[in-house]
Amino acid sequence: DGYCGYAPTASLFWQLCEDAGVARAELDELVWAHLRARIGAAFSAKRADIVLDAGEIPGWVEELLQLPQGRTLVSALAVEHPSSMLLVFASRRIVELVALERNGTGVEIYDRLADFARALAQLAHAALVATDEAEALAQLDELCGDSEACYVYALVLLASLGREHPGFLRLLEGLDRSA
């Protein structure tokens, strides 16, 4: 804590760890776990949204969203800080990127997010009042289908709804378990 690292120092540390026999996957997880903890502890929606004042999204955001670990980090932060415009943009961009990777086009799903959100909210509400939670989860699974983009969006939406109505968190946990 309090140390200011630089790229050459980080590269040297990485090389020393590899020379000592630490597996690359283990190093990746160690670095990302540290980043998640530091960013999670220091994140402020107000400070983060300042980067939007320039009128465009910084290139580093796009680079971060290209990495699976970056997407996980942004998704976790978006759940904790739903008021951050930067994270709202980044979450939508994740959905678009996943659709691009899967379908070769992100426009179709991006344009249909509002419809999907409405359908998911209606289904989630119906599931909350239903007596058969297993059936409700089956309906959520069917709605999300094989689309990772829909699944990610459903997780973010259910987590946001869960802040005001804890019953949605049960659906979130069930959907996450069934994935």
Side-chain angles (χ1 to χ4, degrees):
D1 289 323
Y3 171 75
C4 184
Y6 299 94
T9 307
S11 294
L12 176 63
F13 172 75
W14 192 275
Q15 188 60 51
L16 289 172
C17 288
E18 282 185 336
D19 290 348
V22 179
R24 182 175 184 86
E26 189 177 345
L27 278 173
D28 281 347
E29 182 50 38
L30 176 72
V31 169
W32 278 103
H34 181 72
L35 283 173
R36 282 191 302 271
R38 295 295 300 255
I39 292 170
F43 188 86
S44 159
K46 187 175 183 179
R47 288 188 307 203
D49 290 350
I50 290 172
V51 302
L52 299 175
D53 291 344
E56 63 181 313
I57 303 299
W60 61 263
V61 173
E62 187 68 27
E63 291 174 16
L64 179 66
L65 298 180
Q66 297 298 322
L67 303 169
Q69 301 92 333
R71 292 177 185 182
T72 300
L73 172 64
V74 167
S75 297
L77 287 172
V79 169
E80 293 176 28
H81 304 277
S83 65
S84 171
M85 293 309 294
L86 177 64
L87 294 175
V88 167
F89 163 80
S91 296
R92 288 182 176 167
R93 184 68 180 133
I94 289 171
V95 171
E96 188 176 59
L97 288 169
V98 169
L100 280 167
E101 292 164 2
R102 292 239 172 171
N103 309 331
T105 177
V107 176
E108 180 182 333
I109 191 161
Y110 191 71
D111 290 341
R112 294 177 41 205
L113 283 180
D115 294 336
F116 176 77
R118 260 191 310 281
L120 179 62
Q122 290 171 350
L123 181 60
H125 181 280
L128 285 176
V129 296
T131 55
D132 187 2
E133 191 170 310
E135 183 176 328
L137 286 173
Q139 290 174 343
L140 279 174
D141 283 342
E142 184 179 326
L143 180 63
C144 293
D146 293 327
S147 171
E148 185 178 350
C150 290
Y151 169 74
V152 169
Y153 193 69
L155 291 180
V156 171
L157 184 63
L158 288 172
S160 295
L161 291 170
R163 290 183 175 276
E164 293 184 32
H165 306 285
F168 286 110
L169 295 177
R170 285 194 324 271
L171 292 175
L172 173 80
E173 292 168 0
L175 183 62
D176 195 34
R177 276 193 308 269
S178 69

